[in-house]
Amino acid sequence: MENIKLNVEGMHCPSCETLIGDELKELYGVTKVKVDHKSGLVDIEFDDSKINKEEIIKTIKKEGYKVRK
């Protein structure tokens, strides 16, 4: 298991948290997601043998948010 914290720009409300959280939880290999729109942080636990960091970032960007590495 691997754990990453991403700084995500563009989250303004709890609905943003829900949208990002739901999309990430649907990804094969993602086991835990914690999203905080106030701090802009997304904490993700995932199985790196099933999914990689780039796929997770791509999913967040697809929803219209910016990810700072």
Side-chain angles (χ1 to χ4, degrees):
M1 289 295 188
E2 190 169 333
N3 210 339
I4 58 170
K5 286 189 181 188
L6 300 173
N7 188 350
V8 178
E9 294 180 358
M11 293 190 292
H12 303 290
C13 64
S15 294
C16 296
E17 291 179 4
T18 301
L19 177 65
I20 291 173
D22 288 350
E23 288 296 316
L24 292 176
K25 288 173 187 171
E26 289 182 15
L27 297 175
Y28 180 68
V30 172
T31 54
K32 289 184 185 176
V33 177
K34 182 180 176 189
V35 184
D36 183 1
H37 77 277
K38 292 179 183 177
S39 67
L41 293 176
V42 180
D43 191 8
I44 306 145
E45 182 180 277
F46 63 100
D47 183 339
D48 58 347
S49 68
K50 297 176 182 171
I51 190 167
N52 61 44
K53 181 178 175 179
E54 288 74 28
E55 291 176 80
I56 292 169
I57 291 171
K58 183 178 171 184
T59 299
I60 295 170
K61 287 182 174 180
K62 181 186 77 172
E63 296 303 321
Y65 300 94
K66 291 183 182 180
V67 179
R68 290 190 169 218
K69 295 182 182 182

